[in-house]
Amino acid sequence: MNFGKKYISLQTVIIIFVVTVVIAALTATGILLANATADNIEKHQAEKAMGIAQTVSAVPLIKKSLEENGDPKEMQAFTRKIRQDTNMLFIVVMDMEGKRKTHPNSELIGKPFVGGDEIHALKGKRYTSIAEGTLGPSLRAFHPVYNDEGKQIGAVSVGISLKNVKEAVNKSRNIIYAGMGVGILLGVIGAVFLARRINRILFGLEPYKIANLLEERNAMLESVREGIIAVNPEHTIVVANAEALRIFQKAGLPPDPVGKKVDEYLPVSRLIRILQSAKPEYDQESDINGLPILVNRVPVKVNGQIVGAISTFRDKSEMKALAEQLTGVRTYADALRAQTHEFMNILHVITGMVHIKEYDGLEKYLRKQTRLYQSETGSVSNIVKDPVIAGFLLSKRSYARENLVKLTFSSNIPLPVSADPNTTHHMITILGNLIENAFDAVKENTEKHVSVTIDYDGLACTMTVKDNGKGIHQEIRDNIFQKAKSTKGPYNGFGLSNVRQSVRALGETITFETEEKAGTSFTVKFPYREKDE
């Protein structure tokens, strides 16, 4: 901690703070306790003196001597014995005129009581007071003496030396102050032990270092592209970074999950199972309210004990977009391969005709190929204006011609270029997979027909891919869009799953009609905005 230009370690601050608190608390407590003890001692001494005075005033010998004005020697002997037994400073019996009948000093017997505080006692009152008499300052208790008829005949005064009272008070205070000293010493030892213990728990880190580490950790959590949540052993979410909050919001979950039970907020997290099994899980597929995610889950251990679990996850649609881009690249590669193969065949024909010097036939062949290319290019350009989609369809036509498939394209009006490049990407993914599936469906037919229709009404685009294949088997029609659902064997069934993801990205759905041995048609309709708008 900074104090001016000097820095004091946390351990030193804790020791100073705890010691200061202990000293202040014990000092205040000791002073209050000492004062309360002094008051109690004085009160106790006063009650003791009053009890003796009351007892002496009720003794028949005292009453008889006062009433008959007898010899004070018997009273003197009686009060002397009581005074010695009780360690009182004096016990004085006086008549109604205030003259002493007894006194520790026999020479003062018969003389008036000294102090001036006996007046109320001679009027029938009992009380205590502090005054200075012939024996010095003392705490005095006064009690009236009554005869058997209830008439007051004198009074008794019992005195305790103030010196004795103060000695008793000081003795009690010394004990209290000694206890305070021991308490402060124990507080200092405890403060040192506590400071060292906290220092070990914090691995010797000072508060500013801990703050820096916390800021760095938060910065790292917020900068990663994966969502991160962590739970403690009580199944409570303690960490959720910005990416996790974004994904939760996208999935329609309420904000601010920190502090909530993970099984209530995110039942699909499976973090409770990780806490129980202590086994990590990697690259697991899951979904949050229909949003697909790819998840890693690991337990957190400290000194061999599980103290929590962490889950990292990412929106699977983003990863699928990358996979779909790779699928598109593969489609482009297949189309280029088909075009290359066709071009090589044409070159072989040209080379052979040149070799045999069949120039007239070569001229006719080249004109035919030129007309064919111009016809195909023109027919495709009348369907779509986007050069990427046009090139893609041309490559598919070459691939179809290579596999003896009659591929036809049609549209109501030329489809303009889309304002969103992602739409073009999704269209190629959809058409590529549907046309590829259509080719597979007709490969065993004698006559192979595949048609592609692209219609545009200014607001939406409708794409239909139809084949004359054998149709879709009844047993897989209900789950045909699920991953790995295919009649082609293992490692297949991903095309229509990718098509469904692209259709969802465009904001619409896909429908199909199929009939065994008659063919299948897939129709996709989605919003389409022209680039020039």
Side-chain angles (χ1 to χ4, degrees), residues 371-390:
R371 286 195 301 268
L372 178 62
Y373 175 76
Q374 291 175 347
S375 174
E376 290 182 350
T377 304
S379 64
V380 172
S381 64
N382 289 330
I383 294 173
V384 293
K385 296 298 183 182
D386 191 321
V388 176
I389 300 177

Side-chain angles (χ1 to χ4, degrees), residues 25 39 80 92 145 175 178 216 289 312 330 391 401 414 483:
D39 293 340
R80 183 184 296 113
V92 175
V145 180
I175 294 174
E216 292 172 1
N289 290 346
T312 62
R330 186 193 68 179
R401 185 165 50 250
K483 181 182 293 186

Side-chain angles (χ1 to χ4, degrees), residues 29 31 107 124 129 182 202 237 239 265 282 317 362 387 393 465 506-507 528 531:
T29 303
I31 292 174
E107 297 179 355
S129 66
V182 174
L202 299 179
I237 300 175
V239 172
Y265 182 83
Y282 299 106
S317 60
L362 177 59
L393 294 179
V465 178
L506 293 174
Y528 194 91
K531 183 176 182 180

Side-chain angles (χ1 to χ4, degrees), residues 25-246:
L26 289 179
T27 300
T29 303
I31 292 174
L32 294 176
L33 185 60
N35 292 336
T37 302
D39 293 340
N40 289 335
I41 291 175
E42 292 178 358
K43 183 178 179 180
H44 174 72
Q45 295 290 345
E47 290 176 351
K48 179 181 178 182
M50 180 60 70
I52 296 173
Q54 182 177 357
T55 300
V56 172
S57 66
V59 173
L61 173 64
I62 301 299
K63 292 182 179 181
K64 181 178 179 181
S65 298
L66 287 174
E67 191 172 19
E68 297 177 359
N69 198 17
D71 188 0
K73 291 182 179 180
E74 292 184 7
M75 285 193 297
Q76 178 74 356
F78 176 75
T79 56
R80 183 184 296 113
K81 185 176 185 310
I82 295 176
R83 179 177 61 80
Q84 292 174 350
D85 292 341
T86 57
N87 196 28
M88 294 293 104
L89 179 63
F90 64 82
I91 298 178
V92 175
V93 179
M94 66 188 79
D95 57 18
M96 292 302 294
E97 295 179 357
K99 294 181 179 180
R100 303 186 183 100
K101 296 297 183 180
T102 63
H103 195 275
N105 186 355
S106 301
E107 297 179 355
L108 299 178
I109 294 175
K111 295 184 178 181
F113 189 83
V114 177
D117 52 346
E118 76 282 1
I119 298 175
H120 298 291
L122 297 176
K123 295 181 179 180
K125 294 182 180 181
R126 48 175 291 174
Y127 55 92
T128 59
S129 66
I130 295 177
E132 184 174 354
T134 55
L135 299 178
S138 60
L139 173 65
R140 305 174 174 189
F142 292 90
H143 195 284
V145 180
Y146 298 94
N147 59 13
D148 294 338
E149 286 76 20
K151 179 181 178 182
Q152 184 176 0
I153 56 177
V156 177
S157 175
V158 177
I160 302 176
S161 174
L162 283 182
K163 181 180 179 182
N164 294 340
V165 174
K166 291 181 179 180
E167 288 179 354
V169 170
N170 291 334
K171 183 178 180 181
S172 298
R173 284 179 173 171
N174 291 336
I175 294 174
I176 293 173
Y177 294 152
M180 289 171 54
V182 174
I184 290 173
L185 178 62
L186 293 177
V188 172
I189 296 173
V192 174
F193 175 79
L194 176 63
R196 291 181 176 178
R197 175 65 176 170
I198 293 176
N199 191 56
R200 284 196 300 269
I201 292 174
L202 299 179
F203 300 101
L205 297 176
E206 296 298 324
Y208 77 92
K209 294 182 179 179
I210 297 175
N212 290 340
L213 288 175
L214 181 60
E215 291 177 356
E216 292 172 1
R217 189 207 70 165
N218 290 337
M220 288 187 290
L221 288 177
E222 299 303 326
S223 63
V224 297
R225 289 289 303 277
E226 291 188 334
I228 300 175
I229 62 170
V231 298
N232 60 16
E234 288 74 35
H235 309 163
T236 302
I237 300 175
V238 294
V239 172
N241 69 343
E243 181 64 13
L245 297 179
R246 185 189 70 82

Side-chain angles (χ1 to χ4, degrees), residues 456-470:
Y456 177 59
D457 61 4
L459 297 176
C461 176
T462 303
M463 299 188 305
T464 302
V465 178
K466 185 177 181 180
D467 64 71
N468 66 336
K470 58 185 178 180

Side-chain angles (χ1 to χ4, degrees), residues 151-361:
K151 179 181 178 182
Q152 184 176 0
I153 56 177
V156 177
S157 175
V158 177
I160 302 176
S161 174
L162 283 182
K163 181 180 179 182
N164 294 340
V165 174
K166 291 181 179 180
E167 288 179 354
V169 170
N170 291 334
K171 183 178 180 181
S172 298
R173 284 179 173 171
N174 291 336
I175 294 174
I176 293 173
Y177 294 152
M180 289 171 54
V182 174
I184 290 173
L185 178 62
L186 293 177
V188 172
I189 296 173
V192 174
F193 175 79
L194 176 63
R196 291 181 176 178
R197 175 65 176 170
I198 293 176
N199 191 56
R200 284 196 300 269
I201 292 174
L202 299 179
F203 300 101
L205 297 176
E206 296 298 324
Y208 77 92
K209 294 182 179 179
I210 297 175
N212 290 340
L213 288 175
L214 181 60
E215 291 177 356
E216 292 172 1
R217 189 207 70 165
N218 290 337
M220 288 187 290
L221 288 177
E222 299 303 326
S223 63
V224 297
R225 289 289 303 277
E226 291 188 334
I228 300 175
I229 62 170
V231 298
N232 60 16
E234 288 74 35
H235 309 163
T236 302
I237 300 175
V238 294
V239 172
N241 69 343
E243 181 64 13
L245 297 179
R246 185 189 70 82
I247 294 176
F248 292 156
Q249 183 180 9
K250 186 176 180 180
L253 295 180
D256 195 13
V258 176
K260 298 179 180 178
K261 294 293 183 180
V262 68
D263 54 343
E264 298 176 358
Y265 182 83
L266 193 63
V268 299
S269 70
R270 300 182 184 177
L271 287 176
I272 297 178
R273 185 175 68 182
I274 299 299
L275 288 172
Q276 295 170 348
S277 66
K279 295 181 179 179
E281 297 178 357
Y282 299 106
D283 300 326
Q284 300 293 311
E285 293 187 12
S286 183
D287 70 273
I288 305 174
N289 290 346
L291 178 67
I293 58 174
L294 193 64
V295 191
N296 294 308
R297 309 178 185 94
V298 294
V300 179
K301 295 182 180 180
V302 176
N303 297 326
Q305 297 293 324
I306 296 179
V307 297
I310 290 180
S311 175
T312 62
F313 48 92
R314 189 158 184 188
D315 189 345
K316 192 177 177 182
S317 60
E318 297 176 356
M319 303 186 71
K320 280 189 174 181
L322 179 59
E324 290 170 0
Q325 290 178 6
L326 295 176
T327 302
V329 171
R330 186 193 68 179
T331 303
Y332 295 147
D334 290 341
L336 289 173
R337 182 192 60 79
Q339 284 186 324
T340 301
H341 188 267
E342 185 179 21
F343 183 68
M344 289 299 296
N345 290 336
I346 295 174
L347 288 180
H348 289 159
V349 173
I350 295 173
T351 302
M353 296 183 75
V354 170
H355 183 71
I356 64 176
K357 300 180 180 181
E358 187 64 38
Y359 299 118
D360 293 337

